[in-house]
Amino acid sequence: MFTGIIEAIGTISALKNHGDDLRLTVNVGKLDMSDVHLGDSISTNGVCLTVVDFGSDYYSVDVSKETIKYSGFANYQVGSKVNLEKAMRADTRFGGHIVSGHVDGVGEVLAVNDHTRYVEVWVKAPDELAKYIAHKGSITVDGVSLTVNEVKGASFMLWLIPHTLQETIIGMYKPGTKINLEVDVIARYLERLMLGDKAATTEKQDISMAFLAEHGYLK
């Protein structure tokens, strides 16, 4: 479990293919590794990964075929910058929102517009994620907990303050940049809950106006 409050910017120092999987090593920058142990989870650009080797200034993780499929790891290379956050402690402040580290898909930056005190970033999400993205709702972008400020179809807009731009890789975004997206976990569970008994069937179930009316959600 994570909060989406980034602790450091890391740099990918090694990538090794192991069949369909990937061994990734990250130089951690200013991330404090003094309390990290084998088997701990570290969010790497929003993806929850398990530490299989580490030192004072690095850690290594194995990235599965499934994770590569739903995230931007297929596009990363040695030297790529990544946002880092260690797993949330029970005795710390919950500063962002509930972030599982289970990326839902890869979005694309459409535009980056500079303003006096903030930067406006427009992102195109995969169409299948659009229903989970709401105005003033939460979304995780490369591991960063952010607020959606405007929505147009599957595209949404973010306002970034100088601190966020300085402390995360979002300050490096430009049109065409691919980014990891995780939608609000509450929205995912709510959709599943609304299926009721039909959630147990193997057939694909979609929430439609007809479905809502049939099950008493609409009058």
Side-chain angles (χ1 to χ4, degrees):
M1 185 69 68
F2 306 93
T3 68
I5 305 301
I6 300 304
E7 298 177 85
I9 295 176
T11 305
I12 295 176
S13 58
L15 288 167
K16 294 182 179 180
N17 291 317
H18 292 272
D20 292 332
D21 299 340
L22 188 67
R23 172 66 62 90
L24 177 76
T25 300
V26 178
N27 183 292
V28 300
K30 68 177 183 179
L31 188 71
D32 180 11
M33 296 289 287
S34 63
D35 59 350
V36 172
H37 302 86
L38 287 178
D40 281 359
S41 296
I42 296 180
S43 172
T44 307
N45 258 13
V47 181
C48 176
L49 297 172
T50 301
V51 174
V52 297
D53 184 28
F54 73 97
S56 62
D57 62 352
Y58 79 94
Y59 67 90
S60 296
V61 293
D62 289 326
V63 185
S64 69
K65 179 180 178 180
E66 179 75 1
T67 300
I68 294 171
K69 177 181 177 181
Y70 285 99
S71 71
F73 277 101
N75 302 314
Y76 297 168
Q77 56 190 335
V78 171
S80 293
K81 302 295 183 180
V82 287
N83 291 322
L84 305 179
E85 180 192 355
K86 292 183 291 187
M88 178 183 176
R89 291 167 53 102
D91 60 350
T92 56
R93 287 194 178 112
F94 197 158
H97 74 282
I98 299 172
V99 177
S100 67
H102 302 157
V103 168
D104 294 294
V106 177
E108 180 178 349
V109 175
L110 297 177
V112 179
N113 302 315
D114 289 325
H115 295 266
T116 304
R117 288 291 298 159
Y118 67 90
V119 170
E120 173 188 314
V121 177
W122 278 94
V123 176
K124 172 65 170 64
D127 289 347
E128 62 270 20
L129 298 185
K131 59 185 175 181
Y132 303 111
I133 301 172
H135 180 231
K136 295 304 180 184
S138 296
I139 193 164
T140 308
V141 177
D142 278 340
V144 185
S145 172
L146 295 170
T147 300
V148 176
N149 287 283
E150 189 174 340
V151 180
K152 292 181 180 179
S155 299
F156 62 94
M157 186 265 282
L158 307 165
W159 284 348
L160 288 310
I161 62 173
H163 179 79
T164 303
L165 297 171
Q166 180 179 341
E167 297 298 323
T168 74
I169 67 169
I170 293 178
M172 306 173 192
Y173 286 177
K174 58 185 179 181
T177 299
K178 304 294 186 181
I179 54 179
N180 291 328
L181 300 178
E182 179 188 331
V183 299
D184 190 350
V185 66
I186 295 174
R188 287 204 304 252
Y189 280 114
L190 180 60
E191 179 188 41
R192 185 72 172 170
L193 181 64
M194 290 175 68
L195 291 174
D197 293 339
K198 289 191 175 183
T201 68
T202 56
E203 296 180 3
K204 180 175 172 24
Q205 301 289 341
D206 292 317
I207 302 296
S208 62
M209 296 301 290
F211 178 94
L212 294 174
E214 178 186 350
H215 292 82
Y217 292 104
L218 298 177
K219 293 183 179 179

